[in-house]
Structures are given as C-alpha cells and as structure tokens.
Amino acid sequence: MRATAIASCLMAWSRRCMGTLVVGGNGALLQAHRSSTDEVKRVKSLTPPSPGVPGVAEVYTLSVDSPLGKERMKGVAEVMKDLKIESFVSVMGLSAAAYKNEQDEMDQQVLPMTEQQKKEWLQVDIGYGPVHKGKKPAMMGSSGALACSLGHRHIWETALDMFAKRNSSDERWALIVEDDVRVRRRASPSPEEALREALASVPAGVDIVFLDDRHCWGRSGELGQGVDIYLQSSQAYAITAKGARALLSEPFKRNADHWLNIPVHDGKIRGFCPKRSRIVFAHEYKHASMIKSNAAKLNLLSVFGLRVDYFRNTRVVRRRTPPPIV
C-alpha cells in the first residue's frame, strides 16, 4: 500500500519539470520531478532497491527529456540487463536546445546555478584558452557542455546525500554513466564479471574509477597528482563519498570530462584505470552527440583520427582521438 501511495504521489509531479526517475528491474517504478525544495527532499529520501553489484550503493544514468534521450535510454536498459544491474536511478538533466542562449540556460531553475557559479563558468577553459573570450553569455549559443556539467554535479550531490543516508562501508561506490554508454563486448571474462572484477581490483585509498575506453586509453593502474587534466570522457565512472565531496569542492569552470581529473591532478583524491580486459564501457563508437553540433563534420573528421569540439561559437581541433579499445 505504501509503495503504491508513493508511486501515485510521485507520478502526479511528472509534468512539472525535469528531475529523477527511479528504475527497477521490471521498468519504470517511480517518477519524481523537481519543483520545490520539499519535493526534492522527499525524492532523495526514497531508497530504491540495491543495484545488485558488489560494492555499489547506487547506479545513476544521465539523460535528457528529448527524442534522442529517450532512444538512448533504450540502449541503457540493455546495458543494465547485460550487466545484471537490478535497479538504477535515471537523472533527467538539461537539454541545451531548450534555451535560446547561454545566459538563458544559466538562468534556468531546473538545475539552478548560484551567482558565483555563473561567474566561474565564464572562466571555462577546455585546454585552448578561455571559451568565452570576453563574450557575454547572452552572446553565446546555449551550451551542451554546461548542461552536461550541471547534470553531473547534480548527480554528485544526490550521491553524497545517498551515501550519508546509507552509511555502509560495504557499498562504497556510486556508478555514474551517461545515456550513450554501451557495453564493450570484449570485456572479459564477461561484461558483468569485468565490472565486478574492475571494482574489486581498486586499491585502498582510490576514490574515482574510470570505466570507459576513452578516459583509460593507453593507461591502467593508479592515477595521482599531476595527471593530465584534459583526459576526456565522463561517460562511465564510479566515485566514493570522498570523491563526490572532492568534485563538489571545485569551482564551476570545467566541462564534466575535465572536471573529473582536477581533484586527482591536485592530489585531493586518487584515481584508477582498470586493466584493459576490465574496461567495461565503450564510448568510441559512431553515435550522435548532445554536446557537439554539426555531426556531419564531426564524423568526417573522425575518419582521419581527429575530433572537433563545437561550443557553438568556438571550434577547436583536439588531439588525435585514441582508437577504441575492443
């Protein structure tokens, strides 16, 4: 009776704005949307079923409420099935396409930014100097990178709250994946076992584990102070409560890919890349991007091993894209 009442109550919020979807092994169970502080607290007080992965307290996926997001979530459901993950929490983030410019996106109240965070975002640098170059946000196109960073930060906050409520030393990880995540079929002995072995192999004192083929390309083992802050991909990783706190302590001036590296680079926490056979998730496959525009040019350049980042007003040719780990 109680579960039915909660479900009915939460479903009544479903058309207000974007928020959190709690999903179980038999599909969508509870849907909750943010519209007031009281509702956010009640959403966070819900304890969904255990994901069923040893050491993992919760699994989060980041998507957007759009046709592409919905299509991608079908793939996520297959990933969870392949990995024998019994429940996960899907966080509906922002769609940059919903905003006329970056200022409009910064002023939205779905995942609100403080005035300090807005100032910090104007310092964002992806490795080639400031993105804004003195331009005001109202002069910039809406930013997929900003939407992505806001979504990840919201998950870190939610995970930290979850860790505090559960207070279990046996479940130290929050597994976070984006909706374009797919299983790397050559993970061995199987994707399911590779995930469990990857997490079991993490040394004591590590608080973030990178689990996709791009972030860990060409490296394995512990990552510490001085690591390259421009290692790419926030597609799949796991953090502890300490890791969440370290990420949340950083200024809001990085895209999500690079943000993950900052506290490792600065020596606040240690990171880890599993060995190649335990890399569970694949990012380097042909798929549309929610952050980058002009997909045709992106795909053409990828033939020559290049990747182009588009931030509407800024185009930069990145370093050569690593080959996928298969």
Side-chain angles (χ1 to χ4, degrees), residues 22-323:
V22 181
V23 180
N26 61 343
L29 300 179
L30 303 171
Q31 186 168 356
H33 289 253
R34 300 180 48 159
S35 62
S36 74
T37 302
D38 180 59
E39 289 177 2
V40 172
K41 287 180 179 177
R42 280 187 280 167
V43 171
K44 290 184 176 181
S45 70
L46 295 173
T47 303
S50 170
V53 181
V56 176
E58 193 61 271
V59 177
Y60 299 92
T61 67
L62 178 61
S63 188
V64 298
D65 187 11
S66 71
L68 178 56
K70 291 174 182 176
E71 186 62 30
R72 284 184 171 187
M73 286 305 294
K74 295 177 183 178
V76 170
E78 290 301 313
V79 168
M80 298 302 167
K81 183 178 178 181
D82 287 345
L83 296 175
K84 305 294 190 295
I85 291 175
E86 297 171 4
S87 71
F88 62 98
V89 177
S90 178
V91 176
M92 293 292 106
L94 302 180
S95 172
Y99 303 97
K100 60 184 180 182
N101 56 49
E102 193 177 52
Q103 186 65 59
D104 189 34
E105 186 178 359
M106 293 166 74
D107 291 340
Q108 51 74 35
Q109 293 301 303
V110 179
L111 297 176
M113 300 178 71
T114 66
E115 291 304 313
Q116 180 61 32
Q117 288 170 345
K118 293 176 184 179
K119 291 178 182 178
E120 291 169 351
W121 181 251
L122 298 183
Q123 303 171 40
V124 68
D125 182 342
I126 59 173
Y128 301 88
V131 169
H132 291 83
K133 302 185 186 301
K135 290 184 179 180
K136 295 184 180 297
M139 300 171 61
M140 304 285 286
S142 58
S143 170
L146 173 57
C148 187
S149 289
L150 284 167
H152 280 273
R153 195 178 196 284
H154 175 61
I155 291 177
W156 303 334
E157 291 173 332
T158 304
L160 193 57
D161 186 74
M162 176 274 298
F163 280 126
K165 285 182 171 65
R166 295 199 176 187
N167 193 28
S168 171
S169 59
D170 294 330
E171 296 179 331
R172 62 183 298 234
W173 297 108
L175 175 60
I176 300 165
V177 300
E178 296 175 343
D179 62 3
D180 59 347
V181 73
R182 295 297 179 265
V183 168
R184 182 176 154 260
R185 294 297 173 184
R186 293 191 183 180
S188 63
S190 69
E192 175 193 357
E193 289 302 317
L195 175 59
R196 285 151 178 75
E197 290 180 9
L199 294 175
S201 69
V202 179
V206 167
D207 293 288
I208 183 167
V209 184
F210 302 104
L211 295 167
D212 77 276
D213 55 0
R214 188 160 61 148
H215 211 112
C216 285
W217 176 67
R219 61 186 62 82
S220 63
E222 288 195 49
L223 305 175
Q225 195 165 5
V227 70
D228 183 1
I229 65 174
Y230 297 110
L231 294 180
Q232 300 175 59
S233 186
S234 52
Q235 190 205 42
Y237 59 99
I239 56 174
T240 64
K242 181 180 177 181
R245 283 191 293 269
L247 291 166
L248 290 168
S249 72
E250 296 296 329
F252 199 102
K253 60 178 184 180
R254 301 286 179 182
N255 66 13
D257 298 47
H258 305 155
W259 198 327
L260 299 178
N261 302 313
I262 301 301
V264 179
H265 174 275
D266 293 347
K268 295 179 181 178
I269 58 174
R270 296 191 66 78
F272 183 75
C273 279
K275 65 180 184 180
R276 177 171 174 156
S277 64
R278 291 173 180 160
I279 296 295
V280 183
F281 299 104
H283 182 283
E284 294 303 312
Y285 66 96
K286 186 176 179 180
H287 63 288
S289 171
M290 291 188 186
I291 291 183
K292 306 172 193 70
S293 60
N294 207 329
K297 289 184 180 179
L298 177 66
N299 291 336
L300 177 62
L301 286 168
S302 68
V303 172
F304 301 98
L306 298 174
R307 188 172 73 87
V308 176
D309 283 340
Y310 286 86
F311 287 84
R312 289 291 183 89
N313 302 85
T314 303
R315 189 186 76 174
V316 292
V317 180
R318 301 282 299 168
R319 60 176 66 91
R320 292 183 67 83
T321 301

